[in-house]
Amino acid sequence: MPGMQLHPDLAEIAPLVGTWRGSGRGTYPTIEPFEYTEEVVFAAPVLKPFLVYTQRTRHADTGEPLHTETGYLRTVEPGRVELVIAQPTGVAEVHAGTVSAGRIDLRSEAIALTPTAKEVVTVHRHLVVDGDVLRYRLEMGALGQAHQLHLEAELRRTD
Amino acid sequence: MPGMQLHPDLAEIAPLVGTWRGSGRGTYPTIEPFEYTEEVVFAAPVLKPFLVYTQRTRHADTGEPLHTETGYLRTVEPGRVELVIAQPTGVAEVHAGTVSAGRIDLRSEAIALTPTAKEVVTVHRHLVVDGDVLRYRLEMGALGQAHQLHLEAELRRTD
């Protein structure tokens, strides 16, 4: 992004900045496996030590909007990051984790649920940026099921 | 917003849809009182029963970016709403509340904090839409202080 200024504390997560598009697949014991397309944006609209994160997925076949979420990825000290995410399903996740050489590993510290939200207990998020490719895996313990793989996707940088 | 389709369950909160700008002031025992300018957007990008909420404030005198937050306001049944908010300070709020005649009253059901976040315990948010004017009050219990008024602002619809 020419001309964009990044807070110096963002150096380790700066490779995430951009718009990413690709596809993924989801599985969980309570649902049928599904495939989706996805757009992810990490942006740095102000000179502060966080990135704004937005995400949306669509059903791979029908194009129907599926999930969306938004929040912030912040750096707290070298090698350490925190993630705060809001979801329209009534779920908020806060994570703490590590960043090293383009790899980010996050574990939920707390998950807050509205009265009507489905019960989500644990979420781990693993992201790897390799040049213009972003891969992630999301593991989840929810709805009485053991913590396990829920989503994996591969996206490419589009700007 | 000409041509925009709203999910029918959004009727009670539809008056919020738009971009709002104005000013407010903040007080709390732990800080000096301050004044800020603010932009709030409630948008309905997909035909689902929630609005996407984004907010940013700037210092009234210096224009320096202050707070920002983002999340979702969802309708769960007639007269009842839920709010999920992420903040780059490491705080996530989930609220439940009521909507009636343009007035929305929300109380935090849970607040999730990252390891480095300041301790926020309770937040109440009260919004009133009166035509093209949006007023809100935010009360907060945090940092060992009693739950009390923290922010109040008045914004005008700009599109």
Side-chain angles (χ1 to χ4, degrees):
Chain A
M1 295 196 172
M4 184 179 66
Q5 277 197 306
L6 276 184
H7 191 286
D9 290 352
L10 291 180
E12 290 180 300
I13 60 173
L16 283 170
V17 174
T19 300
W20 306 81
R21 292 193 180 89
S23 60
R25 55 186 173 154
T27 57
Y28 212 65
T30 56
I31 54 171
E32 290 293 312
F34 63 101
E35 299 194 345
Y36 58 90
T37 60
E38 181 168 15
E39 179 180 298
V40 166
V41 178
F42 285 97
V46 294
L47 197 61
K48 291 202 173 186
F50 62 81
L51 300 180
V52 181
Y53 163 71
T54 54
Q55 182 260 25
R56 65 186 68 182
T57 62
R58 292 180 177 270
H59 191 284
D61 295 330
T62 65
E64 172 200 10
L66 296 176
H67 184 77
T68 190
E69 60 188 28
T70 185
Y72 304 95
L73 181 65
R74 64 195 301 235
T75 51
V76 292
E77 60 180 75
R80 301 205 68 83
V81 293
E82 294 179 347
L83 178 69
V84 182
I85 287 184
Q87 301 173 5
T89 48
V91 177
E93 302 172 16
V94 303
H95 292 250
T98 57
V99 54
S100 175
R103 179 177 179 92
I104 297 174
D105 294 294
L106 293 153
R107 286 169 176 255
S108 54
E109 289 282 322
I111 295 178
L113 305 172
T114 61
T116 69
K118 288 183 181 169
E119 188 210 17
V120 179
V121 179
T122 53
V123 177
H124 295 182
R125 292 170 180 257
H126 308 282
L127 297 87
V128 176
V129 182
D130 182 6
D132 288 336
V133 177
L134 170 62
R135 295 182 188 88
Y136 74 80
R137 288 167 55 92
L138 186 151
E139 300 148 16
M140 179 174 73
L143 301 169
Q145 305 294 319
H147 184 87
Q148 62 192 278
L149 179 65
H150 174 42
L151 304 171
E152 52 187 344
E154 180 172 316
L155 313 177
R156 293 196 161 265
R157 191 190 303 272
T158 59
D159 69 26
Chain B
M1 296 193 168
M4 186 180 65
Q5 277 197 305
L6 275 184
H7 191 287
D9 290 353
L10 292 179
E12 289 180 301
I13 60 173
L16 284 170
V17 174
T19 300
W20 307 81
R21 292 194 180 89
S23 59
R25 55 185 175 155
T27 57
Y28 212 65
T30 56
I31 54 172
E32 290 294 313
F34 63 102
E35 299 195 344
Y36 58 88
T37 61
E38 180 167 17
E39 178 180 299
V40 166
V41 179
F42 285 97
V46 293
L47 196 60
K48 291 200 174 189
F50 62 81
L51 300 179
V52 180
Y53 163 71
T54 55
Q55 182 261 25
R56 65 186 69 182
T57 63
R58 292 180 177 272
H59 191 285
D61 296 330
T62 65
E64 171 200 9
L66 295 177
H67 184 76
T68 189
E69 60 188 28
T70 185
Y72 304 95
L73 181 65
R74 65 195 301 235
T75 51
V76 293
E77 60 180 76
R80 300 205 70 83
V81 293
E82 294 179 347
L83 178 69
V84 182
I85 287 184
Q87 301 174 6
T89 48
V91 177
E93 301 173 16
V94 303
H95 292 250
T98 57
V99 54
S100 174
R103 179 176 179 90
I104 297 174
D105 294 294
L106 294 152
R107 286 169 175 254
S108 54
E109 289 281 323
I111 295 178
L113 304 172
T114 61
T116 68
K118 288 184 182 168
E119 188 209 18
V120 179
V121 179
T122 53
V123 177
H124 295 181
R125 292 170 180 257
H126 308 281
L127 296 87
V128 176
V129 183
D130 181 6
D132 289 335
V133 177
L134 170 62
R135 295 183 188 88
Y136 74 82
R137 289 168 54 91
L138 185 150
E139 300 148 17
M140 179 174 73
L143 302 168
Q145 305 295 318
H147 183 88
Q148 62 192 276
L149 179 65
H150 174 42
L151 304 171
E152 52 186 345
E154 179 172 317
L155 313 177
R156 292 197 162 264
R157 190 190 303 273
T158 58
D159 69 24

